Amino acid sequence: MDPGPQLSRNAIKWLQSLDLSHSVKNIRRDLANGCIVAQIFSRYYAELQLHSFDNGPSMATKKDNWEQLQKFFLKQGLKIPANLVEATEKGIQGAAQQLVEHLYELFTGKRIQPRVNASEVYPRPELKRPATKRTAALAPDARNPLRLPAGSKKIGATLSAAPNVKMNCVCSVEVSQVPIHDIMSLRKHVHDANQL
């Protein structure tokens, strides 16, 4: 689920400094009924009486709280966009964040810095890495069909193993078709072949 737009750091600090009765955890839900918005205005306007606001989730409570706030806005001559208030009341994604940032600018006189998309500042790195000597050496081609690491050599020959003391015999192992990367894998291959 998309969390939606986030509040700016300055707006969050401002909200925390107001010492509201409830901490704002889910801004979309917490501001929908208008009670927190009324508390914000009561910090700046003493004539706003909080006892007439109800902190409930019902549509009737939301409508009553926002009607009281709209009357207060008109009485004080405050220009709060009606469409922003309506969208916040309905819980539309991003509306509560815009309302809080609008109130922050109204009460503090400071502008919210426009958000910058992180991908514009820090472009995503290319997923395909440029070829290095090592990756080029590992790529299959006519010279390196087995994709051996750079610096290794293909070992291919008929090798004679040491005489087996118990049986007193000499075993030979054909390793030309087996990719051997180092001496340890060669020894293991010879050992496995001698066990047969």
Side-chain angles (χ1 to χ4, degrees):
M1 187 170 139
D2 181 25
Q6 299 294 316
L7 272 177
S8 69
R9 180 175 296 213
N10 291 339
I12 292 170
K13 286 181 180 179
W14 172 70
L15 269 180
Q16 291 171 342
S17 73
L18 294 176
D19 195 31
L20 302 172
S21 65
H22 298 89
S23 62
V24 178
K25 294 182 176 119
N26 182 336
I27 192 164
R28 189 167 116 185
R29 181 192 64 219
D30 294 341
L31 268 70
N33 70 2
C35 195
I36 296 288
V37 176
Q39 286 185 32
I40 292 170
F41 275 93
S42 73
R43 299 298 188 260
Y44 293 93
Y45 294 93
E47 58 271 13
L48 183 65
Q49 301 296 317
L50 289 178
H51 63 80
S52 58
F53 291 92
D54 188 20
N55 191 14
S58 73
M59 286 303 291
T61 301
K62 289 179 185 181
K63 187 174 182 179
D64 181 55
N65 287 347
W66 282 108
E67 283 177 357
Q68 288 182 60
L69 282 169
Q70 291 282 27
K71 288 178 187 174
F72 177 77
F73 298 156
L74 285 173
K75 185 178 176 184
Q76 296 298 323
L78 297 169
K79 294 182 180 170
I80 308 296
N83 60 348
L84 191 56
V85 169
E86 185 179 331
T88 302
E89 179 183 353
K90 290 180 179 178
I92 294 175
Q93 185 91 8
Q97 288 86 347
Q98 288 180 9
L99 180 63
V100 168
E101 290 178 353
H102 179 78
L103 297 178
Y104 169 80
E105 291 178 353
L106 176 73
F107 290 124
T108 64
K110 298 176 184 174
R111 303 273 306 147
I112 296 282
Q113 296 297 322
R115 288 187 181 82
V116 177
N117 190 349
S119 64
E120 294 171 8
V121 178
Y122 303 106
R124 293 188 105 190
E126 291 292 324
L127 296 177
K128 189 175 183 182
R129 286 190 250 160
T132 61
K133 288 181 181 179
R134 178 161 171 75
T135 57
L138 291 177
D141 62 6
R143 293 175 295 163
N144 191 1
L146 299 176
R147 299 179 66 179
L148 298 173
S152 22
K153 296 179 182 176
K154 179 180 172 188
I155 303 173
T158 302
L159 299 177
S160 296
N164 189 334
V165 177
K166 292 181 184 172
M167 303 241 178
N168 200 15
C169 68
V170 175
C171 301
S172 66
V173 179
E174 179 68 33
V175 293
S176 60
Q177 298 302 317
V178 179
I180 306 290
H181 299 294
D182 58 9
I183 194 66
M184 292 306 291
S185 53
L186 175 62
R187 284 183 181 165
K188 181 174 179 353
H189 182 72
V190 169
H191 176 63
D192 292 345
N194 282 335
Q195 296 298 320
L196 298 175

